[in-house]
Amino acid sequence: MTRISRLFEKLKAEKRCGMVAYLTAGDPSPAATPDLVAALERGGADLIELGVPFSDPIADGPVIQLAGDRALRAGTTLAKVLEIAREIRKRSEVPLLLFTYLNPALRYGFARLAADAKAAGIDGCLLTDASVEEAGEYVRVMREAGLDTVFLAAPTSTDRRLKLVAEYSSGFIYLVSRTGITGEQQTISDSALPLIERMRALTTLPLALGFGISTPEHVAALSGQVEAVVVGSAIVRQIEKDPAQLEGFMHSLTRPIAKTALS
Amino acid sequence: MTSQPDTGGHFGPYGGRYVPEVLMSPLEELELAYEAAKKDPAFHAELDKLLTTYAGRPTPLYFAEQLTKHLGGAKIYIKREDLLHTGAHKINNCIGQALLARRMGKHRVIAETGAGQHGVATATVCALFGFDCTVYMGEEDMRRQRLNVFRMRLLGAKVVPVTSGSRTLKDAISEAMRDWVTNVSTTHYLLGSALGAHPYPAMVRDFHRVIGLEAKQQFLKAEGRLPDVLIACVGGGSNAIGLFHPFIEDDGVKLVGVEAGGRGAGLGEHAARFAGGTPGVLQGTRSYLLQDDDGQIALTHSVSAGLDYASVGPEHAWLHDRSRAEYVSCSDADAIAAALVLSRKEGIIPALESAHAVAEAIRRAPSAAGQTFIVNLSGRGDKDIDIYRENLKELDAA
C-alpha cells in the first residue's frame, strides 16, 4: 500500500476531506522546492503533486505554463525532480505524486522511471496526456514497482470511458471539474457535481476534484462532496507572488475543510 | 498498408490518441461523424462539387519541359496545387472538415497556422459556411507572413498571436488545443496537417488523397506508365501524404519526402525530424520528434514557416521505418536557390515550403536520365515575397 492509499484511509477515519496541493517542481529553482513543499504541508496539505515541467503543456493555463518555463530555465529535469523528492523524503512522509506529460516519462523510460521514482520516495504518477487506451504498458510497469497510477476523468467522459479510467487508476481518481485547462476561476463549474455522481456509481476509489479550485469558498462548497480537493494554479501564483506567505495561503484554503465532514 | 491506421489510429507503433481526457470523447465523436460522412454519398457529392467549382480541381499535372532541359536528366512533371483557390493544397482539407463541422452542428471553427496558408484556407471556408473563425498563429510567424495575416482578417477571421515557446507552429497548435479543450461543445478544431490525435492524421490524409489520385491518372494518360519518383516537402506532411498515399502499393514508385534542413545540423538549427529526431509523443500523436535528452521538445528553424515544426505526421514515421519512403532534407539556401530556378525556367514562383521539393528534384534529376519525377508544388510563392527579397537582395539593386 502506498502513502496515497494510507492517506485516504486516514482521511476516511477522520471523516475529513483531503487537500491535494500542486506545485511546479523547480519553480523558481530546484533548490527552493523542498522548503515550499514543507510550507504547504505546514499549511495543511495532505498530498503533494510535484509537477515536472514540460516544454509543451497543452492542458495548462498561463499560470502553470509560465511556472514551467521558469523551472526549465532553472535547469529542472525529470531526474532533478526525483532528486528533489529524495530531499523532501529526508524530512517528510507526505504522499508525493509525480504530475507531468507523457513525453518526459517516455524519454526517461518507464521501467527506469518506476524504479528511480520508487527509490526516491514517490508514491504515484499522473501523466496528463496518457489516455487509458495508450497506457497499458505504463500502468503495468508502475504497478509492478508499487506505484499508484492516477488518471483524469472529465465532464465530457462517457460512462464507458469513466469505467476505463476507474480500472486504470489506483490510489485515487482525479476529476476535472470542467472542460478546460488549468487555472483559477470565480465559480466552480456546474459540470462538477454530475461528474462526481457518475464516477461514484462506477468506483469505490477515492475521488479528488481539481481545476479551477482557488478560494476558501470553493473548498468549503466542495469538501463535503469528494475525498479530496486539488489546488494548483492558485498555489503556483502565490509562489510567484510571495513564497514567504505560502504557508498562510495554504492554511486559508485548508481551514474551511475542518468544518466539513464527508457524509 | 492502405488499411492503416488500425482502429486506435495507429500506423505501426506511431499515431494513436494522446490527449487530456477532456478531449477523448470529443475525438471519438469526431471519428464517428467522419466515418458516417465517409459512407454518405451526399457528403462526397458536396465535397466533389466544392472542390471542382470553388477550389478549382482538378489541378494540372504540368510537364516542366524547360526545367527538364535545363537539368538534362529526369523528366520532371509538376502537380500544380499552387493553382488552387487560396494558393495551396490546404483548401482540400478545409472544405472537407468544414462540411464535417456543419454535419456535427458546430458553429465555431478554430485552427492553427504556420505559414498562414492553412489559416487562410480555414478563414476562407469559414466565410463560405458562415462559421465564427479563430486562427492561432505564432508571433514569429505573424511577422514573417504578414500578408497572410491580413488575408485572414480580410476574410473575417480573428487571428490570435501566440507568444509562448518558439512562437511558431508548435505553439500555435498547443494554444488551439487549449481553446478546443475549453470550448469543445461548440467548436470544431480544423487541424491543418496530417498530425495530432486520431482521427486527424487519417482524415486529413483522406481529404488530400485527391492530389495523388489525380496525379496518377494524369500521369498514366501522359506517359502510359507510373512515375519513377514522387517528391514532396514534409512539414506535418499533409501534401506529401496526399500525393504518396495512392502510390504506396505501387512498389516501383519511389516516394521522397523533403524536410527543412534549415541552416545547420545542430539541434535547433533545422526541422529534419528523421535526420535528428527520435520517437516520442507530442500534441496527441506518437511520431519522430526533435527533443533533448530530458524529453523536452527542441526549438526548430526553417526559413519556411510551414516546415518549421518539431514533429511529423505519424504515417510518415511508419513509411520511414518500413523504408517505403525516403526522407531527405534541404537547406534554407538551397530552397531559395531552387525557387529562383523554377521562377526563371518555368515562370512559376513556388512557396518556400514547395521550393524544398523543387530543390530535391534539381539535385536528383541530372543523374536520373530516363526517369520521370512528379514534384508536388503544394503552394504558390506570393506569401513569401518578403523573404525572397531579403535573401535575393541583388535583384532589388538591379
Side-chain angles (χ1 to χ4, degrees):
Chain A
M1 191 184 270
T2 65
R3 291 181 191 87
I4 293 173
S5 300
R6 286 201 296 272
L7 166 69
F8 281 103
E9 284 194 351
K10 184 180 106 178
L11 290 169
K12 194 176 178 183
E14 292 174 6
K15 294 188 192 295
R16 179 169 69 85
C17 174
M19 171 59 70
V20 176
Y22 169 95
L23 84 172
T24 300
D27 169 38
S29 70
T33 303
D35 286 342
L36 293 171
V37 168
L40 290 170
E41 219 186 327
R42 286 194 306 274
D46 296 295
L47 188 157
I48 302 293
E49 291 179 353
L50 279 179
V52 181
F54 179 52
S55 53
D56 296 84
I58 54 173
D60 286 305
V63 171
I64 293 179
Q65 281 178 49
L66 290 173
D69 286 348
R70 288 191 297 270
L72 287 172
R73 277 200 305 273
T76 311
T77 60
L78 179 48
K80 190 73 102 184
V81 176
L82 297 180
E83 269 177 43
I84 292 171
R86 278 194 291 272
E87 206 51 47
I88 295 167
R89 274 289 166 260
K90 284 180 186 167
R91 46 177 153 149
S92 169
E93 281 298 304
V94 69
L96 294 174
L97 182 74
L98 274 186
F99 193 102
T100 187
Y101 290 79
L102 183 55
N103 202 56
L106 270 177
R107 186 70 172 170
Y108 198 95
F110 289 152
R112 190 177 147 227
L113 177 61
D116 291 358
K118 186 73 184 173
I122 296 284
D123 300 291
C125 192
L126 190 162
L127 303 177
T128 308
D129 55 347
S131 59
V132 286
E133 280 82 351
E134 306 287 357
E137 192 205 341
Y138 155 72
V139 169
R140 187 180 56 75
V141 172
M142 293 292 148
R143 298 276 184 88
E144 274 173 20
L147 292 165
D148 280 322
T149 54
V150 178
F151 283 84
L152 300 169
T156 50
S157 304
T158 55
D159 282 353
R160 185 185 68 79
R161 297 201 58 80
L162 292 183
K163 268 182 215 154
L164 287 170
V165 166
E167 193 181 309
Y168 280 76
S169 295
S170 63
F172 67 98
I173 297 170
Y174 188 137
L175 306 185
V176 174
S177 73
R178 56 150 190 243
T179 57
I181 51 179
T182 57
E184 300 131 288
Q185 61 186 6
Q186 294 301 313
T187 54
I188 290 302
S189 165
D190 295 339
S191 51
L193 295 181
L195 175 62
I196 294 167
E197 271 177 39
R198 289 200 296 136
M199 195 78 239
R200 197 70 86 188
L202 295 167
T203 186
T204 53
L205 279 172
L207 307 181
L209 182 74
F211 279 46
I213 299 174
S214 51
T215 67
E217 290 73 28
H218 294 157
V219 174
L222 292 163
S223 57
Q225 311 289 330
V226 280
E227 281 77 8
V229 291
V230 188
V231 179
S233 294
I235 287 171
V236 172
R237 188 191 292 279
Q238 181 64 39
I239 290 170
E240 185 188 357
K241 206 174 68 185
D242 187 2
Q245 299 302 315
L246 185 62
E247 180 183 337
F249 178 75
M250 186 78 263
H251 199 71
S252 73
L253 289 171
T254 49
R255 197 177 298 123
I257 285 179
K259 297 171 190 158
T260 341
L262 185 63
S263 48
Chain B
M1 252 180 104
T2 39
S3 62
Q4 298 278 344
D6 69 10
T7 52
H10 302 98
F11 301 90
Y14 303 107
R17 196 177 266 163
Y18 297 90
V19 292
E21 176 59 26
V22 173
L23 290 180
M24 288 301 290
S25 292
L27 284 165
E28 287 173 358
E29 237 177 86
L30 176 63
E31 184 188 356
L32 287 177
Y34 176 56
E35 290 303 320
K38 263 206 297 198
K39 292 187 193 105
D40 181 357
F43 179 80
H44 288 284
E46 197 161 11
L47 178 59
D48 290 348
K49 186 178 161 198
L50 283 170
L51 287 175
T52 308
T53 62
Y54 186 72
R57 300 213 75 90
T59 59
L61 182 72
Y62 166 71
F63 172 43
E65 199 173 352
Q66 302 312 312
L67 182 65
T68 297
K69 273 189 195 151
H70 172 68
L71 297 171
K75 199 169 173 185
I76 299 174
Y77 282 81
I78 296 177
K79 182 61 174 163
R80 296 292 309 272
E81 292 298 293
D82 62 314
L83 292 178
L84 283 174
H85 182 39
T86 71
H89 73 291
K90 295 290 187 188
I91 193 84
N92 300 325
N93 169 51
C94 287
I95 291 174
Q97 286 199 46
L99 285 168
L100 197 58
R102 195 173 65 188
R103 280 173 75 102
M104 295 177 74
K106 309 275 178 171
H107 310 292
R108 179 172 180 265
V109 165
I110 57 169
E112 82 297 337
T113 196
Q117 291 304 96
H118 174 58
V120 167
T122 301
T124 298
V125 297
C126 286
L128 181 66
F129 283 75
F131 296 145
D132 180 65
C133 179
T134 299
V135 178
Y136 292 93
M137 190 170 187
E139 211 174 39
E140 167 64 12
D141 289 341
M142 285 179 76
R143 185 191 61 76
R144 53 182 170 172
Q145 303 285 352
R146 278 176 300 186
L147 186 63
N148 272 345
V149 174
F150 187 76
R151 287 170 81 194
M152 287 184 265
R153 288 178 174 155
L154 190 63
L155 290 160
K158 187 174 156 200
V159 183
V160 180
V162 177
T163 56
S164 55
S166 55
R167 303 171 185 206
T168 59
L169 179 59
K170 170 175 76 84
D171 312 287
I173 293 176
S174 288
E175 209 51 41
M177 289 182 84
R178 292 184 189 112
D179 180 318
W180 202 36
V181 165
T182 309
N183 300 298
V184 71
S185 61
T186 60
T187 300
H188 175 67
Y189 179 15
L190 208 166
L191 185 60
S193 196
L195 290 170
H198 181 56
Y200 283 104
M203 179 172 73
V204 174
R205 171 199 73 196
D206 291 349
F207 287 136
H208 285 304
R209 278 186 92 238
V210 64
I211 303 171
L213 291 171
E214 281 177 13
K216 197 173 199 175
Q217 208 179 32
Q218 290 165 323
F219 193 89
L220 283 169
K221 198 172 165 197
E223 293 283 336
R225 62 187 190 89
L226 289 174
D228 296 298
V229 183
L230 307 181
I231 304 173
C233 65
V234 181
S238 66
N239 89 81
I241 203 70
L243 176 66
F244 292 174
H245 200 264
F247 291 91
I248 286 175
E249 304 279 293
D250 300 314
D251 291 338
V253 180
K254 196 168 174 59
L255 312 176
V256 180
V258 187
E259 300 186 280
R263 59 193 169 205
L267 198 60
E269 299 295 311
H270 63 85
R273 290 72 41 107
F274 291 115
T278 46
V281 169
L282 177 66
Q283 295 172 334
T285 194
R286 186 181 181 111
S287 185
Y288 278 76
L289 283 185
L290 290 168
Q291 56 180 326
D292 69 13
D293 292 339
D294 188 42
Q296 307 295 339
I297 309 307
L299 296 181
T300 52
H301 165 80
S302 171
V303 70
S304 141
L307 303 183
D308 198 353
Y309 182 61
S311 186
V312 61
E315 193 164 7
H316 285 292
W318 184 226
L319 291 173
H320 170 268
D321 281 14
R322 292 173 56 113
S323 302
R324 179 60 192 96
E326 179 190 347
Y327 294 86
V328 298
S329 65
C330 157
S331 70
D332 289 352
D334 286 351
I336 286 163
L340 189 59
V341 171
L342 192 69
S343 301
R344 295 287 169 89
K345 294 298 167 193
E346 294 290 350
I348 299 170
I349 303 173
L352 269 166
E353 290 77 16
S354 323
H356 286 70
V358 175
E360 179 61 15
I362 291 173
R363 195 183 69 77
R364 279 177 187 253
S367 58
Q371 290 191 20
T372 50
F373 293 1
I374 295 177
V375 177
N376 203 15
L377 206 73
S378 54
R380 68 176 186 228
D382 308 43
K383 71 182 175 66
D384 295 316
I385 294 301
D386 285 348
I387 298 169
Y388 286 135
R389 280 186 79 176
E390 275 168 37
N391 286 277
L392 297 164
K393 288 204 174 77
E394 65 278 14
L395 300 184
D396 262 343

